[in-house]
Amino acid sequence: MKVVPMPEEVRVNEETMTLDRANARSFINPPDMNALELALQLRERHGGVVTVLSMGPPFFERYLRLTLCAGADRVVLLSDRAFGGADTLGTSRTLAAGIEKIGGFDLVLCGEESSDGATAQVPPGIAEWLDLPQVTYALSVDIDLPNRRLSARREVKGGHERLLAPLPAVVSVKQGINEPRFIDWSLKPWADSVDRVTVWSAQDLEVPLEEVGTAGSATVVAGVSQSPTRERRRERLTGDPARIARELAERLRPFLFGPERGP
Amino acid sequence: MSSGAYGRDEANGLWVYLEERQGRLEGVSLELLGKGRELADLLGVPLTALLVGYALGDLPNEAVAAGADVVLVADHPALQAYTTEPFTRVVASVVNERRPEALLLGATPNGRDLAGRLAVRLRTGLTADCTGLSVDPERRLLLGEVVGFGGGIVATIVCPERRPQMATVRPGIFPRPERRRGRRGEIVPVPVRLDPRDTRVRVLERSVGEEVDLTRATAIVAVGRGMRGELALAERLASLLGAEIGGTRVAADLGWIERSRQIGQTGVVTRPRLAVCCGVSGAIHFMVGVEAADCIVAINTDPDAAIFEQADYAVVEDAFAVLPHLIEALSETKVRATP
């Protein structure tokens, strides 16, 4: 899971060409909540333990604790300055190391993409680092524990397909595939107890420092700018609807033509 | 930094990965051949297309006609349906053997699925979902433009050291190239060697229909929350204009339009001659998908709606009051949108 800033509250620092999210409020990346809901439903059907894993700065912890109030069993946060500045290569490496350290898992569920980066690369990246089968853009997932396999429906362009994959596997889920349950605030004292959240550093993960963070990243941001908007005519048409329509039809003439000159 | 598969000194050539669907090349693959041709000329290198699948017929020739100098064809029965691992295996192996400087893929669901896995296998950088591409011929860098944070911010991403430089590109960003039937190119079969581990995932069933392709629409009538799910008027206008119906995320989430008609950040990027936006507030997530339109008309009851700032013609009125008159006025001249 990832904690992402509210888009409208992020500003570009034009001097340093970096994003300033210091004053932006945050929330849990929406499709990650769908992944959590799916995990909780699978636990209800098949048993097991739901561990929430994230990589990020220490402040992520207070958001991640909310997932405990929603029903997760434990939280692991990978947090170390060495992990900072990672692109998807470094991020997926770090998360894969965290998953290996947790160990004994059947299924890794992720949101399809994050609302800030929107690359959708991290789930396939994790699968590759762990040498596991992957299913991306899943619409539904069921698991068959005795036969150690999962069946999933996933979205492809113009339709969907049904897949069968062995467990363990990495699955990314489409946003909105289910209705994430409400947070149960009565669980707050339990969720706030110290031992519900484990924080691991680079040293804990025993991961080579050249494979994580900036050092483990292959891409660099060469520039950032506020999105330019194209100049528009911004002509307001007023009057009664019939008159507006006639004027508009007139204005649209350059973009239209009669069927006699047909396409 | 741990190194990638090969270094920049050994890398040469610009590649486009071609995606096949139901016997045809994906629109975005053709778009990439067009843009790739331009970038390859700037870099002074050949443009290579990589086509992976089974019984690919005339598609290699089509790739040549669309601008490829060389088409590498991996044709094998095991590659009939896309699954991640066999396709990753084939592409990684031919990339490692022939060492391109850059590899472009379409940001379709399967293109992104493949690219994410491939980039880690090659230990290289991938700029995802680009909305613009250029090159720096001197430093031999691919510059990928990506929009972040709902479209408010544009970042330029480069992959300075590792090769290949990978990028996925959104459908509809670049125009489709003209097909030149007489163009000459080289079609080269490449060997397919798969590992038993690659076939762990099986496709049981696939249901793919002919879906609308809004990236190709000449005109679009876009509906938003203000249309309250009543699309009859919008549909009449669309049919009059030869336009496609599109809409906001809300319209898709509420089931008023199919998902393939969703415009914007999480939908499709369109480039019509004309976009008539009805009951659309103009959130930046949506505007990303219509900002390339030659003309934007906005009809909305809220005089403060953001969309009026980005419209050519702004109508502060209830769409339900204006559309019947607009349909009537346009019917009189029997107009259609120019292609």
Side-chain angles (χ1 to χ4, degrees):
Chain A
M1 291 187 126
K2 187 176 182 185
V3 177
V4 293
M6 303 242 180
E8 56 276 17
E9 296 186 4
V10 176
R11 295 279 169 270
V12 174
N13 184 328
E14 307 263 4
E15 266 172 41
T16 57
M17 294 212 299
T18 53
L19 299 181
D20 174 17
R21 59 174 280 178
N23 296 313
R25 282 172 298 167
S26 298
F27 62 111
I28 292 175
N29 181 47
D32 297 355
M33 292 305 288
N34 296 118
L36 173 64
E37 178 58 33
L38 177 59
L40 297 172
Q41 288 174 11
L42 290 171
R43 185 188 64 187
E44 280 154 15
R45 245 175 280 155
H46 305 281
V49 171
V50 172
T51 302
V52 167
L53 174 70
S54 185
M55 180 191 98
F59 85 85
F60 274 26
E61 187 177 321
R62 65 175 186 271
Y63 292 91
L64 297 171
R65 280 190 194 270
L66 295 177
T67 68
L68 296 166
C69 299
D73 296 290
R74 65 185 288 218
V75 170
V76 175
L77 174 61
L78 312 179
S79 193
D80 193 312
R81 283 196 175 277
F83 300 149
D87 69 358
T88 46
L89 186 64
T91 301
S92 58
R93 174 71 182 96
T94 306
L95 288 168
I99 292 164
E100 276 186 318
K101 187 170 169 75
I102 292 166
F105 58 93
D106 297 301
L107 188 56
V108 179
L109 291 166
C110 316
E112 56 173 314
E113 63 180 34
S114 66
S115 63
D116 54 349
T119 70
Q121 289 167 35
V122 168
I126 291 172
E128 175 64 19
W129 285 112
L130 296 174
D131 189 21
L132 292 179
Q134 80 191 48
V135 177
T136 53
Y137 307 107
L139 301 165
S140 66
V141 178
D142 214 341
I143 55 176
D144 174 359
L145 275 181
N147 292 305
R148 305 287 306 149
R149 65 186 185 189
L150 71 84
S151 67
R153 219 159 64 84
R154 76 178 282 261
E155 185 181 271
V156 296
K157 191 158 182 277
H160 58 265
E161 62 190 15
R162 225 155 50 76
L163 300 176
L164 201 60
L167 294 174
V170 177
V171 175
S172 81
V173 306
K174 286 287 293 178
Q175 183 167 351
I177 59 159
N178 52 33
E179 194 67 52
R181 63 195 62 189
F182 290 116
I183 282 165
D184 180 352
W185 291 108
S186 72
L187 290 173
K188 189 103 187 354
W190 172 82
D192 282 344
S193 66
V194 181
D195 55 355
R196 302 321 305 172
V197 175
T198 307
V199 181
W200 283 333
S201 66
Q203 200 176 355
D204 294 322
L205 287 188
E206 298 174 56
V207 63
L209 286 180
E210 68 272 17
E211 292 186 2
V212 299
T214 316
S217 297
T219 58
V220 180
V221 179
V224 186
S225 59
Q226 214 85 39
S227 178
T229 46
R230 173 173 167 159
E231 267 312 302
R232 293 284 173 185
R233 295 178 194 85
R234 289 203 264 171
E235 185 182 337
R236 290 213 174 197
L237 303 177
T238 52
D240 71 276
R243 188 185 148 166
I244 290 173
R246 276 196 308 276
E247 286 193 6
L248 186 55
E250 196 54 41
R251 303 281 197 292
L252 297 185
R253 203 175 284 283
F255 303 97
L256 310 162
F257 71 15
E260 64 278 6
R261 286 188 285 150
Chain B
M1 181 173 66
S2 70
S3 61
Y6 52 91
R8 44 184 300 165
D9 297 341
E10 308 160 75
N12 186 43
L14 177 65
W15 286 21
V16 170
Y17 171 82
L18 301 180
E19 195 174 326
E20 174 263 355
R21 186 165 65 106
Q22 296 184 296
R24 284 191 297 203
L25 293 178
E26 274 290 347
V28 68
S29 296
L30 291 167
E31 292 158 17
L32 285 178
L33 284 172
K35 187 66 183 180
R37 178 74 267 157
E38 183 194 319
L39 299 180
D41 290 342
L42 285 170
L43 289 167
V45 296
L47 177 66
T48 298
L50 173 58
L51 183 57
V52 181
Y54 179 56
L56 294 161
D58 197 43
L59 297 183
N61 292 316
E62 276 187 41
V64 170
D69 297 309
V70 180
V71 186
L72 304 173
V73 184
D75 193 309
H76 191 280
L79 303 171
Q80 180 156 31
Y82 174 83
T83 46
T84 311
E85 291 164 279
F87 275 63
T88 305
R89 173 81 59 191
V90 169
V91 178
S93 128
V94 60
V95 162
N96 276 321
E97 200 173 303
R98 293 171 180 255
R99 315 195 159 192
E101 278 174 278
L103 170 62
L104 312 178
L105 304 91
T108 60
N110 284 348
R112 294 169 111 209
D113 178 277
L114 172 66
R117 183 117 193 180
L118 189 59
V120 170
R121 187 161 306 183
L122 296 168
R123 302 288 192 267
T124 193
L126 164 56
T127 307
D129 251 33
C130 293
T131 53
L133 277 184
S134 54
V135 290
D136 177 341
E138 304 222 323
R139 294 188 296 157
R140 304 209 71 75
L141 287 180
L142 180 72
L143 312 173
E145 263 182 25
V146 298
V147 294
F149 297 101
I153 288 161
V154 178
T156 303
I157 313 278
V158 296
C159 177
E161 299 301 329
R162 305 198 199 191
R163 294 295 177 268
Q165 305 165 78
M166 287 178 60
T168 58
V169 178
R170 289 192 161 199
I173 299 288
F174 302 122
R176 251 183 229 198
E178 262 180 55
R179 298 189 196 190
R180 290 174 42 209
R181 275 292 157 198
R183 247 190 125 258
R184 302 278 290 273
E186 199 186 341
I187 294 169
V188 184
V190 297
V192 173
R193 283 179 293 265
L194 295 174
D195 187 292
R197 279 182 75 70
D198 295 334
T199 50
R200 290 180 286 188
V201 176
R202 283 196 297 138
V203 178
L204 298 179
E205 179 191 319
R206 170 166 295 161
S207 149
V208 180
E210 266 309 309
E211 74 168 356
V212 57
D213 186 0
L214 282 197
T215 67
R216 303 260 84 81
T218 315
I220 288 171
V221 177
V223 297
R225 194 191 290 273
M227 294 306 280
R228 305 192 295 269
E230 294 163 35
L231 304 193
L233 284 170
E235 277 162 3
R236 270 174 61 202
L237 177 63
S239 113
L240 190 63
L241 294 172
E244 291 288 352
I245 290 280
T248 59
R249 174 156 201 157
V250 171
D253 283 350
L254 294 174
W256 302 347
I257 55 166
E258 302 148 51
R259 191 58 71 184
S260 55
R261 294 183 185 275
Q262 184 190 319
I263 293 169
Q265 174 91 9
T266 49
V268 293
V269 176
T270 67
R271 37 190 304 125
R273 292 271 287 142
L274 172 64
V276 182
C277 303
C278 309
V280 174
S281 65
I284 200 155
H285 310 73
F286 172 82
M287 294 312 294
V288 172
V290 285
E291 65 190 6
D294 293 331
C295 177
I296 296 178
V297 175
I299 309 173
N300 197 314
T301 49
D302 175 7
D304 298 323
I307 195 162
F308 290 134
E309 293 303 305
Q310 296 176 69
D312 294 286
Y313 301 110
V315 178
V316 187
E317 223 349 310
D318 189 348
F320 292 100
V322 176
L323 286 179
H325 295 289
L326 184 60
I327 289 163
E328 194 190 323
L330 292 172
S331 304
E332 281 163 20
T333 44
K334 290 215 167 64
V335 286
R336 290 182 83 78
T338 333

